[in-house]
Amino acid sequence: MQQTFRRSLLTTIVAAGLLLLCVLPGASAAESPKRGGTLVIGTTTDVDTFNVLVSNSITSSWILDLMYPSLLAMDEKANKVPYLAKEWGYSDGGRVAWFKLREGAKWQDGTPITSEDVKYTVDITVKYNIGFNASLFSSVEKIVTPDAHTVQFYLNEPSVSFAPSAGFWLRVVPKHIWAKVQDPKQFANDNPIGAGPFALVKYQRGQYYELAPVKQGFFVQSGPPLVDKVIFKIYPDINTLILALKKGEVDLSAESIPPASVPDLKRTKGINVVSGPSLGYAYMIFNLHSKQAAFLADVQVRKAIAYAVNKDVINKMVLAGNGLPIATAVSPVLDFWHNPNVKDYAYDLNQAKRILDAAGYKDTNGDGVREVPTSKGGGKLRVRILYDSGHAQQPKVMQILKDDLAKIGIEVVPDGMERNAYLAKRKELDFDLMLGRWGIMDEPADYLYLLYHSDTYGQGGINESGPNDPTLDKLLDEARKTGDVNLARDRVFKIQERLHELIPEVTLYVEQYYFAYRDRFTGYRLFPSDLRGLVDPQSLSVVHLAN
């Protein structure tokens, strides 16, 4: 039996302050859209690559999403909705996931988009082990394309999360172009040919990226985008970007606005500020395989650090009190999946000190830094924390962590890097601890496997801590390989409990994102998370000059 499947995210967005806005300030349903104009969007990070399969920069994601289609998109309430695929579902008891593509869809060079493009994209992703998507398709036994507009994924086990996850995260590339490339993982793709609502016209790395509307496309029901062009302009930091916004040099900040800057922008004439919740979370991850800090493999050290992180101070000082607490790798925003019985490690420096004392980490020479027992490698209890120095919050979080860990005898060596250098070190797993954040983590049965299963570590994906725990692996397998959503939920609850015991990371907060734009343009649509925000293709396709 074949069943069309359009499953909701199963989330409850908690608290009135987290409700997404469907109609943004300045928009009016009665207005006739005014075409034209150049929309200037500010960002603080450069594109790392135009290779949509390997890119790991948020600016790259914003730009490439405008050119390369996914099978599914996300609506304003975080539901997965048709995009390149007009419908999708499961058959054979959940063992076959299928997608029906829109007829008439074409790449920007006029070549029709077919199911062979989808199959080819998955094939090279798996063959060349490209990014976390390679792990995403590890359950696929074969891919069948019975016709030009149908693609079927035969799974080795039923899965409640495969179709929405694969449909949303896979960016389809044109086979007729990429098949000529010797190594798609190394392909620079400097002249990208995509199929989104915009096409790249010209650019100068580190300065700007100019895109023009595609006149014929299938993404916007009412026709092509309404603006004449979109320019992403790179600024050195968020403060410079905010100043440019206030001066009118920028129409929209793609970056989320730091909470401390929100009141001033709200008072600035001609600027609107809107907000929405993250579907991810901020975290500090432990490298359990660090050679320089091998003691991090000791759960007692990780537990002591967990007790020493003052999340309340981080929320107040960094987020102006606007963050949501989070105890595990499943956000409380995901109400269906979140286990409320898992309680966070409370801030308790004395408890942290007692744990380290009992485990043999003591300050034997009185210099304020504990020594590591010789049985665990010896040396100082010293850690490098990698962080993005240009990020709005991470440098502030870094200082709070450094001060708190010093109070329990752990020396912190801050390792701040500009975004691309940070990403390069992160890719090489060259850190002891690392500050990071996930933009969208909405299918726990799937992403928890990618984050923590021992099979996914060292595969170029998103498992950057490297736990190797048979109990955890078993739960992750059972959650991912079932067509029973209630069984998956039960296992996800148990996974959270096990993660609380293992502590591969310290989850810090769920951020409330603020986005600002000038009233020269209107018609924006607000999507959850800063990965989407106001620059989602579905938003920029309908933005227009204010009347």
Side-chain angles (χ1 to χ4, degrees), residues 348-359:
D348 190 335
L349 295 180
N350 289 329
Q351 177 66 3
K353 292 174 183 177
R354 286 192 291 268
I355 291 171
L356 291 174
D357 286 341

Side-chain angles (χ1 to χ4, degrees), residues 91-92 123 137 139 152 177 210 238 248 259 296 304 364 467 516 521:
S91 60
D92 192 21
D123 285 343
F137 293 102
S139 61
Q152 299 169 335
I177 293 175
E210 181 180 321
I238 190 66
L296 290 176
T364 58
F521 286 89

Side-chain angles (χ1 to χ4, degrees), residues 183-448:
D183 183 354
K185 197 171 186 178
Q186 304 300 324
F187 182 34
N189 196 29
D190 287 331
N191 296 295
I193 299 296
F198 290 88
L200 187 66
V201 175
K202 61 181 179 178
Y203 62 91
Q204 188 166 344
R205 289 191 181 277
Q207 295 191 33
Y208 71 89
Y209 296 84
E210 181 180 321
L211 299 99
V214 174
K215 299 304 181 183
Q216 54 181 355
F218 57 89
F219 296 101
V220 188
Q221 304 248 345
S222 57
L226 303 172
V227 298
D228 287 336
K229 65 177 70 171
V230 170
I231 296 176
F232 282 81
K233 193 172 181 180
I234 314 299
Y235 288 87
D237 54 65
I238 190 66
N239 293 326
T240 308
L241 171 53
I242 290 173
L243 183 61
L245 182 68
K246 293 176 70 173
K247 289 181 177 179
E249 298 172 4
V250 166
D251 296 300
L252 164 67
S253 172
E255 307 276 351
S256 59
I257 302 298
S261 301
V262 170
D264 178 52
L265 286 176
K266 285 185 174 180
R267 291 191 297 266
T268 303
K269 185 178 179 180
I271 292 181
N272 295 309
V273 179
V274 294
S275 64
S278 170
L279 289 180
Y281 56 91
Y283 59 89
M284 177 176 68
I285 199 166
F286 297 97
N287 184 351
L288 305 185
H289 301 273
S290 170
K291 295 180 180 179
Q292 295 185 4
F295 51 80
L296 290 176
D298 185 350
V299 70
Q300 298 305 316
V301 174
R302 304 198 299 273
K303 184 178 293 185
I305 291 175
Y307 274 114
V309 176
N310 195 333
K311 296 185 182 181
D312 287 339
V313 167
I314 290 173
N315 187 22
K316 291 175 183 176
M317 300 299 293
V318 179
L319 302 174
N322 291 306
L324 278 176
I326 179 171
T328 76
V330 178
S331 169
V333 172
L334 304 180
D335 182 63
F336 180 82
W337 300 102
H338 176 253
N339 185 344
N341 299 316
V342 176
K343 305 303 179 184
D344 209 352
Y345 288 95
Y347 179 61
D348 190 335
L349 295 180
N350 289 329
Q351 177 66 3
K353 292 174 183 177
R354 286 192 291 268
I355 291 171
L356 291 174
D357 286 341
Y361 299 86
K362 298 182 179 180
D363 180 9
T364 58
N365 60 8
D367 66 352
V369 180
R370 295 174 184 264
E371 276 72 46
V372 179
T374 55
S375 62
K376 298 173 183 176
K380 291 289 187 181
L381 194 56
R382 179 185 296 120
V383 295
R384 296 172 301 141
I385 303 184
L386 177 65
Y387 68 98
D388 179 355
S389 60
H391 189 263
Q393 283 89 38
Q394 289 186 18
K396 300 174 185 177
V397 173
M398 175 72 251
Q399 189 57 53
I400 294 171
L401 292 172
K402 181 180 179 182
D403 293 345
D404 278 338
L405 294 184
K407 294 173 185 176
I408 64 170
I410 298 179
E411 180 183 354
V412 169
V413 179
D415 192 12
M417 301 274 173
E418 60 85 20
R419 180 69 179 174
N420 286 339
Y422 161 85
L423 292 173
K425 270 200 154 187
R426 178 174 181 168
K427 184 177 181 180
E428 297 299 322
L429 302 176
D430 184 11
F431 60 86
D432 301 331
L433 290 87
M434 180 185 69
L435 297 183
R437 61 184 177 124
W438 298 120
I440 298 177
M441 288 297 200
D442 62 338
E443 298 286 349
D446 205 58
Y447 78 71
L448 290 172

Side-chain angles (χ1 to χ4, degrees), residues 68-91:
Y68 288 94
S70 52
L71 295 169
L72 304 177
M74 181 180 286
D75 69 13
E76 290 94 332
K77 294 184 178 180
N79 299 309
K80 301 295 170 52
V81 295
Y83 198 47
L84 177 57
K86 65 179 182 180
E87 59 181 355
W88 55 289
Y90 288 103
S91 60

Side-chain angles (χ1 to χ4, degrees), residues 437-459:
R437 61 184 177 124
W438 298 120
I440 298 177
M441 288 297 200
D442 62 338
E443 298 286 349
D446 205 58
Y447 78 71
L448 290 172
Y449 176 92
L450 301 176
L451 277 175
Y452 300 117
H453 198 284
S454 60
D455 285 349
T456 65
Y457 180 70
Q459 301 300 312

Side-chain angles (χ1 to χ4, degrees), residues 27-42:
S28 171
E31 289 182 350
S32 177
K34 183 179 179 181
R35 294 181 177 273
T38 297
L39 178 69
V40 181
I41 302 174

Side-chain angles (χ1 to χ4, degrees), residues 21 43-44 56 72 129 198 224 227 329 335 405 444 459 512 540:
L21 303 177
T43 177
T44 62
N56 199 27
L72 304 177
N129 193 29
F198 290 88
V227 298
D335 182 63
L405 294 184
Q459 301 300 312
Q512 176 82 346
L540 295 187

